[in-house]
Each structure stands twice: as C-alpha cells, then as structure tokens.
C-alpha cells in the first residue's frame, strides 16, 4: 500500500513539472510539430498515468478493506467463543460457591460434635477412674471381712451365719463381675468415641481440600452409583378399606379436593394398588410428575427392572416407574406435558395426547402432538417399545441405542430424543460423548444436544384436549 502511494506521488510530480517550466521559460519553436497538438498528447499521457495510479490505489484499498473485514470477523468469532466459555465458567463457579457454603456449614456442625464428644470422653474417663477407686476399696473391704470371718469361723459362727456370710460373698462377687462388665462397656464406648473422633478428623481434612476437585469427584461418584429405588406399590390386606377406597386417582383429583401444597402424596389410579407420587400444585391444576432432571445427582443409566419400578428421590431427580405410569395412562384422556429449561432460565414446553400400553408390549407409547413451542422429534416414536441397556427394543438393526447412548427411552432410531441421557454441566467436546447426553431435536437436523438444568414430565388428567 505504501509503495503504491509513493509511485502515484512520483507520477503526479512528473505531470506537474512541465507545466511549471512552461510558465517560466520561453518556448522553443520547432518545425513540423504544432505546439497545440503536442500539449494535447502530453496531457493524455499524464491522464493515463494518473488513471493507472488511481486504479492501483483503488485495488490496494479494496484488498486492504477485505483483509480488515476478515480480521474483524475472526475477532468477533473469538469474542463469541470467549463469552460462551466465560458464561459456562461462571455457572460452574456459582455451583462450586454454593457447594463451598454447604461444606462450611458441615464443618461447623462437625466441630461442634467433636467438642461434645471430647466432653463426653472426659466425663467417661473421670467416671472410669472413680469406678476403679471404688473397686479397690471394695476389694480391700472384702479381704478384711474374709480375714475376720476366717478368724471367727472356728466355733463362733453358726451354720446359719456361715450360710449368710457365703451368700454375702456371692453377692460381692456378683457385684464385682458387674463392675468388670461395666468397665469393659465403658472401655468399648471410649474406643468408639476415639474412632468417631478419627472419622471427624478425616472429614475435616476432606473439607479442607480443593472445592472444585471435590465437586467433580462427587458428580462422578453420583453418576456411577446405583440410583435408589422409589417406594414400591403399597399393598393392603383389605381392598375395601375406607381409607384405601377414598384415595385420589391422581394429583389433579387431589387438587380438585382443595389440596394446594406441592409434595409427595398417596394416589390410586384406575383402582390399582396405591403408590406414592410427587404432585406439583404450583399451576392452576394438579399434575403428577413422572420424571425430573435438574442437577445430575442421579444416574439414569439403569436396568429394565429399575425403569419398571422407579428410582431416584422425589425431591431431587427421579423416574416414577413404567408400571405406575401405565396405571396412570390407562385411565384415558391424559396429556403428557414436557417442560425443558436451558442454562439461561428460558423455558419451553410441548404437550401430547398420551397413552401407554402394559408390560406385555414392553410399554409401547402412543402420542399425538397437541401444542407447544418445542420441535416435535417424538412424532416418529409412536408405537415404539421402551428400551434399556439390558433390553433392546428399538428399530435400529445395527445398534443398541440404550446401551450406546445411555438411559432408558422409547428409541426409534438413535439420537432423535432422549430425556434420560447423561446429564452434562458443560458441553462435551467430542460428538460421540454429546450423543450420550440429554437430547431433544427434530429428526431432520444433523446434531443437536439440549443443555438443561431441569427436565420434567407432567401427567395431567381432566386437562382440556386441544
């Protein structure tokens, strides 16, 4: 660019010098060359040189503008990537901060317990010393009595007194044995207290470790652990029991009876065996929650038996169980509502007319889309059976979707939708790893992984069918 401008400056200087000279010197006439035509051709040459210089200048400016635009676009892309990474780090930092506050509270409680245990240990040691002193005194008294009795035995003690003395010896011996047992018990309790103090010290050392590492290890442990089983069906010896007969069919009926507190209740859908369910009463109607994901604390890569009976924690993450969901859906006129929330607290939902067959068909699902602002990847899942890592019922001939993608679901072909996949706090880099996560995408898109903080399934009865 600089070279082009210097060249143009020389061209302009060359074009201007003749004009200056012509104004100061007397022109020399030459024969056969008219002065007027020569000056015209000289001006045309100068214009051509000037035009070429301007063209080169314009081309250089255009190249410079293109290069500048490319550099600006690269900077904007890098800034966008930096913003995304910074947001993910801020979310993780807030979680680590919350975990740190909880660990601080736990440390305070452990220190208070440690002080109490120290006081108890000191009291037990003092009691143990006093018992030992009393034992020594009793032994001295017993030895003195035995000497006196031995001296008085010869002719001075009757048979009745001897028997009484013998009984007294037995009582003293029994008391001595009780004291020995009490001392052993005190010693065992003291050993247990010392063991508890050792445990508390180890816990304090763990709390002092790096919070980030502890959080990651905790999430990894929870992911690999076996999820707890939910409360099974509640059986009763008498099906005609008035309390059993009066149980609501589901949470919507409980709402209609006037209950407005969200929590765990006993329901009895379709007059089946009653069971515990989590009822959400925060809307204008009661809903029965059959699945919930919000923090990755429960591993959803479970077996067929656990997906059939249910697992997790009602106030955390859980799967209600296929048997219970079937008893709910068998009542008819049910709506399945799926709510998803991203890391920016933006919520979306989709609703289906819903029916679920029984275990004889491996819980085949039947759906009809009703409404919502989410894409509908479940339209091709109607008529699909449920699959888990130990039972393959999907339509994929060459791949076991539940085993490869983790989590039980109604798989058609792998990858369209799976709300029971692995929970990721940050987007994995590898494509194969992302496929194992929670997904909700249209069938025609190549790859889409939904990042969630919570996912809920709601089952609603008496909800208006659109």
């Amino acid at each position: 660019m600089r070279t082009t401008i210097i060249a143009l400056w020389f061209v302009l200087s060359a074009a201007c010098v003749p004009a200056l000279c012509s104004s100061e010197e007397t022109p020399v006439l030459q024969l056969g060359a008219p002065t007027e035509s020569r000056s015209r051709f000289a001006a045309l040459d100068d214009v051509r040189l000037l035009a070429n210089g301007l063209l080169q200048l314009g081309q250089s400016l255009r190249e410079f503008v293109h290069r500048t635009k490319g550099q600006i676009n690269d900077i904007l892309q890098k800034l966008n990537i930096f913003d995304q990474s910074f947001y993910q780090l801020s979310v993780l930092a807030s979680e680590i901060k919350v975990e740190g506050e909880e660990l601080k509270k736990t440390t305070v409680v452990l220190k208070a317990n440690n002080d109490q245990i120290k006081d108890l240990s000191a009291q037990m040691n003092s009691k143990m010393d006093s018992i030992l002193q009393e034992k020594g005194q009793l032994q001295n008294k017993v030895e003195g009595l035995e000497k006196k009795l031995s001296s008085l035995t010869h002719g001075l003690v009757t048979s009745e007194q001897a028997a009484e003395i013998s009984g007294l010896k037995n009582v003293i011996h029994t008391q001595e044995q009780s004291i020995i047992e009490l001392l052993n018990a005190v010693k065992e309790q003291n050993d247990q207290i010392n063991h508890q103090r050792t445990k508390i010290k180890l816990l304090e050392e763990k709390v002092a470790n790096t919070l980030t590492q502890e959080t990651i290890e905790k999430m990894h442990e929870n992911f690999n652990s076996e999820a707890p089983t939910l409360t099974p069906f509640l059986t009763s010896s008498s099906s005609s029991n008035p309390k059993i007969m009066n149980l609501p069919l589901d949470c919507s009926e409980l709402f209609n009876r006037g209950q407005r507190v969200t929590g765990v209740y006993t329901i009895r859908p379709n007059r089946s065996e009653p069971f515990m369910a989590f009822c959400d009463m925060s809307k204008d109607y009661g809903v029965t929650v059959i699945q919930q994901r919000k923090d990755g604390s429960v591993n959803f890569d479970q077996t067929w038996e656990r997906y059939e009976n249910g697992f997790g924690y009602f106030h955390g993450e859980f799967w209600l169980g296929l048997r219970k969901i079937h008893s709910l859906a068998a009542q008819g006129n049910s709506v399945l509502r799926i709510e998803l929330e991203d890391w920016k607290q933006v919520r979306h939902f989709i609703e289906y007319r819903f029916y679920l067959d029984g275990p004889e068909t491996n819980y085949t699902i039947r759906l009809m889309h009703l409404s919502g602002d989410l894409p509908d990847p479940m339209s091709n899942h109607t008529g699909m059976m449920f699959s888990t890592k130990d039972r393959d019922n999907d339509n994929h001939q060459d791949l076991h979707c539940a085993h490869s993608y983790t989590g039980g679901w109604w798989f058609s072909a792998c990858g369209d939708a799976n709300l029971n996949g692995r929970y990721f706090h940050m987007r994995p880099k590898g494509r194969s790893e992302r496929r194992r996560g929670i997904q909700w995408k249209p069938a025609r898109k190549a790859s889409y992984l939904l990042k969630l903080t919570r996912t809920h399934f709601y089952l609603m009865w008496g909800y208006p069918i659109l």
Side-chain angles (χ1 to χ4, degrees), residues 156-200:
L156 297 177
V157 181
T158 62
S159 60
E160 294 178 356
Q161 290 175 340
E164 186 177 353
I165 291 171
S166 178
L168 181 61
K169 286 183 178 181
N170 293 332
V171 171
I172 293 173
H173 181 70
T174 303
Q175 289 181 350
E176 186 177 359
Q177 292 295 327
S178 299
I179 291 172
I180 293 173
E181 292 177 358
L182 180 60
L183 289 173
N184 292 331
V186 170
K187 185 178 179 182
E188 290 179 359
Q189 290 181 354
N190 193 22
D191 292 339
Q192 291 179 359
I193 289 173
N194 291 331
H195 183 63
Q196 292 294 331
R197 290 174 65 183
T198 304
K199 284 187 175 180
I200 291 173

Side-chain angles (χ1 to χ4, degrees), residues 251-434:
C251 296
S252 62
E253 183 177 343
L254 193 64
F255 184 89
N256 294 334
R257 293 183 184 182
Q259 182 60 253
R260 296 295 184 271
V261 179
T262 297
V264 180
Y265 296 91
T266 303
I267 61 176
R268 190 188 180 198
N270 204 26
R271 303 304 175 193
S272 64
E273 297 179 35
F275 57 87
M276 307 295 289
F278 186 81
C279 298
D280 185 357
M281 305 298 189
S282 61
K283 305 180 187 302
D284 295 333
Y285 43 84
V287 296
T288 308
V289 184
I290 65 176
Q291 188 253 27
Q292 183 166 272
R293 308 288 302 278
K294 62 180 183 179
D295 54 14
S297 58
V298 173
N299 181 10
F300 271 63
D301 190 20
Q302 300 294 330
T303 61
W304 177 270
E305 181 182 0
R306 286 187 166 271
Y307 266 101
E308 193 170 34
N309 297 323
F311 57 86
Y313 304 95
F314 278 125
H315 293 284
E317 295 191 335
F318 69 91
W319 172 263
L320 183 61
L322 291 168
R323 291 175 59 198
K324 301 171 187 176
I325 299 172
H326 168 63
S327 64
L328 287 168
Q331 298 180 113
N333 195 30
S334 59
V335 173
L336 180 68
R337 180 183 177 92
I338 301 174
E339 294 185 357
L340 308 178
E341 182 175 330
D342 60 23
W343 289 100
K344 297 181 179 180
Q345 287 75 47
V346 178
R347 292 191 176 187
H348 303 278
F349 79 98
I350 191 169
E351 291 180 344
Y352 295 96
R353 181 75 177 270
F354 173 64
Y355 188 79
L356 187 67
D357 293 338
E360 65 280 357
T361 64
N362 293 320
Y363 300 100
T364 298
I365 193 172
R366 305 187 187 280
L367 298 170
M368 184 181 72
H369 180 260
L370 295 178
S371 63
D373 57 357
L374 278 171
D376 178 22
M378 293 289 289
S379 58
N380 63 342
H381 288 230
T382 295
M384 289 307 306
M385 296 180 290
F386 199 84
S387 294
T388 59
K389 61 183 180 181
D390 58 341
R391 187 173 295 191
D392 184 10
N393 294 319
D394 58 61
N395 280 344
H396 206 298
Q397 296 180 356
D398 301 327
L399 191 64
H400 184 179
C401 298
H403 179 74
S404 300
Y405 283 39
T406 74
W409 194 253
W410 294 274
F411 291 102
S412 175
C414 304
D416 291 347
N418 178 15
L419 297 187
N420 289 334
R422 185 173 179 180
Y423 188 98
F424 290 113
H425 289 84
M426 299 182 66
R427 182 181 177 87
K429 295 182 178 180
R431 184 178 179 183
S432 60
E433 188 68 14
R434 290 198 299 269

